[in-house]
Amino acid sequence: MLLTRARSKAERSLYELGEITDLAVQTVKQAWRGPIEKALLIHQFDAVGVRSISIVVITSAFIGMVLALQTAYSLADFGGKLFVGKVVSLSLVRELAPVLMSLMVGGRVGAGMAAEIGTMRVTEQIDALRALATNPVRRLVVPRVIATTLMFPLLTVLSNLLGILGGLLIAVTNLHVSANYYMRSVIESVKYNDLASGIGKTFFFGFAIGLIACYNGLKTEGGANGVGRATTVTVVTGAITVLIMDFFLTKLFLAVF
């Protein structure tokens, strides 16, 4: 019986993966065909990017502070203070800033998108769009996926900057490292390939999270309870997808760069 359940879950997962892939293909085709309404894009850029700045600021600054403290005290016997700038900058740029930013912002944005589209689904607004000869993928999915794909890298750049500044604050006030030495070690440590690999991953993270959120919203059934389930599944699936993609993308970028 357990084997039967596991097999049915695997089949259902493969079916959903196929549907998400089909939605991705439709999204790319609709985006390629022609211009999207500017009002829709601007609204999504604001929802995904501007309204997420506060989360990015708080998360990134404190991550940088914690990294600086952990580096200094964990490596105290090995002169850890000398490596604060290097460890903080490389850890943030290559891994922590892209992943944690994607998890935090992806949870907020993904849940909102799934709830919004899911509500439209259960109230039959999507059926009304089809009745008016409007493609739901073009109007609802494409602007959201474009917004997440383009805004995640920009938010990552901001996250990198704020995390490094947070580390600088702790290095100067708690560890008594000069700001000049800290910034010089950051500049000498961070190379182009570090920035490219970290920021490059977030294009894929943003595309995946936007696609998952829209898919779950379009498949919502069962009224308010269904909307709640869709948002929960979106947050969990999005987080797992980011972590899995991060592993494979890290291996890819290490091989490329």
Side-chain angles (χ1 to χ4, degrees):
M1 187 174 182
L2 291 176
L3 181 61
T4 303
R5 288 182 179 177
R7 184 179 301 171
S8 64
K9 287 183 179 180
E11 292 174 351
R12 185 164 59 251
S13 298
L14 289 174
Y15 176 75
E16 291 179 353
L17 181 60
E19 285 194 320
I20 292 176
T21 303
D22 181 62
L23 180 61
V25 172
Q26 292 183 51
T27 302
V28 174
K29 286 182 178 179
Q30 291 295 328
W32 185 262
R33 283 181 179 177
I36 309 299
E37 291 185 32
K38 291 184 179 180
L40 296 176
L41 284 174
I42 292 173
H43 174 72
Q44 293 304 321
F45 285 147
D46 176 68
V48 174
V50 177
R51 299 183 188 180
S52 298
I53 289 178
S54 58
I55 297 176
V56 175
V57 169
I58 296 171
T59 303
S60 304
F62 280 95
I63 288 173
M65 294 179 190
V66 170
L67 273 176
L69 287 174
Q70 289 286 4
T71 300
Y73 290 110
S74 299
L75 302 178
D77 296 336
F78 306 97
K81 291 182 180 180
L82 301 176
F83 302 105
V84 169
K86 182 174 183 178
V87 172
V88 170
S89 59
L90 289 179
S91 299
L92 284 169
V93 169
R94 292 193 69 93
E95 195 64 32
L96 290 179
V99 173
L100 291 179
M101 186 284 304
S102 297
L103 291 174
M104 296 296 293
V105 176
R108 171 195 169 274
V109 170
M113 288 181 178
E116 185 176 2
I117 297 178
T119 302
M120 295 180 68
R121 166 76 174 180
V122 299
T123 56
E124 300 182 351
Q125 295 181 50
I126 294 179
D127 294 332
L129 288 177
R130 291 193 179 98
L132 294 172
T134 301
N135 190 323
V137 174
R138 182 175 182 82
R139 184 169 183 82
L140 300 178
V141 179
V142 173
R144 288 168 171 80
V145 173
I146 289 177
T148 54
T149 303
L150 296 182
M151 293 306 300
F152 272 42
L154 296 179
L155 292 174
T156 300
V157 173
L158 178 62
S159 179
N160 288 332
L161 177 62
L162 293 170
I164 291 172
L165 292 178
L168 172 63
L169 178 64
I170 296 299
V172 172
T173 58
N174 285 40
L175 308 178
H176 307 294
V177 176
S178 69
N180 182 52
Y181 177 82
Y182 178 91
M183 293 306 301
R184 189 169 67 250
S185 65
V186 169
I187 294 172
E188 292 175 353
S189 301
V190 178
K191 306 299 181 183
Y192 167 78
N193 59 340
D194 300 317
L195 290 169
S197 63
I199 296 173
K201 289 189 287 189
T202 55
F203 285 98
F204 298 93
F205 295 162
F207 182 82
I209 288 174
L211 200 64
I212 290 170
C214 293
Y215 170 79
N216 287 320
L218 291 172
K219 294 298 180 181
T220 301
E221 295 178 351
N225 290 334
V227 174
R229 286 194 300 270
T231 56
T232 302
V233 170
T234 296
V235 173
V236 174
T237 307
I240 293 173
T241 302
V242 166
L243 295 175
I244 293 174
M245 290 180 67
D246 179 56
F247 171 76
F248 291 103
L249 289 173
T250 298
K251 292 193 69 174
L252 175 63
F253 285 128
L254 286 175
V256 172
F257 296 108

